[in-house]
Each structure stands twice: as C-alpha cells, then as structure tokens.
Amino acid sequence: MREFVPKINPDGIYSAKRACNELGVTYKTLRLFRQKGFIEPVNPKNRFRSRYTGQAIINCWYEAIKS
C-alpha cells in the first residue's frame, strides 16, 4: 500500500491494473478489498474486465488505511 493518496482524476475510469498500480497492491489484494466492500467496480456484472472510478480508488485507499 502506498503512503500517499493516489493522485488521479476522481472522474476518470481506470482498469483493475491501473487501480492496483495507484494503490500499490497486487490484483489479489484488490480482489480482497472488493470482497470487504472497500471498492466497487463501475461494471459489477463483468468480472473479467473490471473498471473503477478514480474516486472509488481514492476512497478505497482511505478505507484500507483505516483498517
């Protein structure tokens, strides 16, 4: 996990790979965050190409830091 808040556009749409890069975690950790409810994809029905908003990534970072 990165020490600083991700500097991304809150209105942007990002792939799972980019979300992992911005958060500084692996894909498995991102999936764990999703299961815990820290982050929700824009397209929840498409499990293979998840997309996340920039604001969701930032909120996930805050939730992960708190826990």
Side-chain angles (χ1 to χ4, degrees), residues 14-63:
Y14 300 96
S15 66
K17 183 176 180 178
R18 177 76 187 271
C20 290
N21 187 27
E22 292 295 332
L23 292 170
V25 298
T26 64
Y27 184 73
K28 288 184 180 183
T29 305
L30 183 67
R31 187 172 33 183
L32 179 68
F33 288 165
R34 186 174 171 184
Q35 290 172 353
K36 288 185 174 184
F38 291 173
I39 191 166
E40 187 65 32
V42 175
N43 55 347
K45 293 183 181 181
N46 189 348
R47 294 180 19 221
F48 301 106
R49 291 186 186 257
S50 298
R51 301 280 186 235
Y52 301 93
T53 63
Q55 189 61 50
I57 295 168
I58 293 168
N59 293 344
C60 176
W61 184 86
Y62 281 115
E63 287 294 323

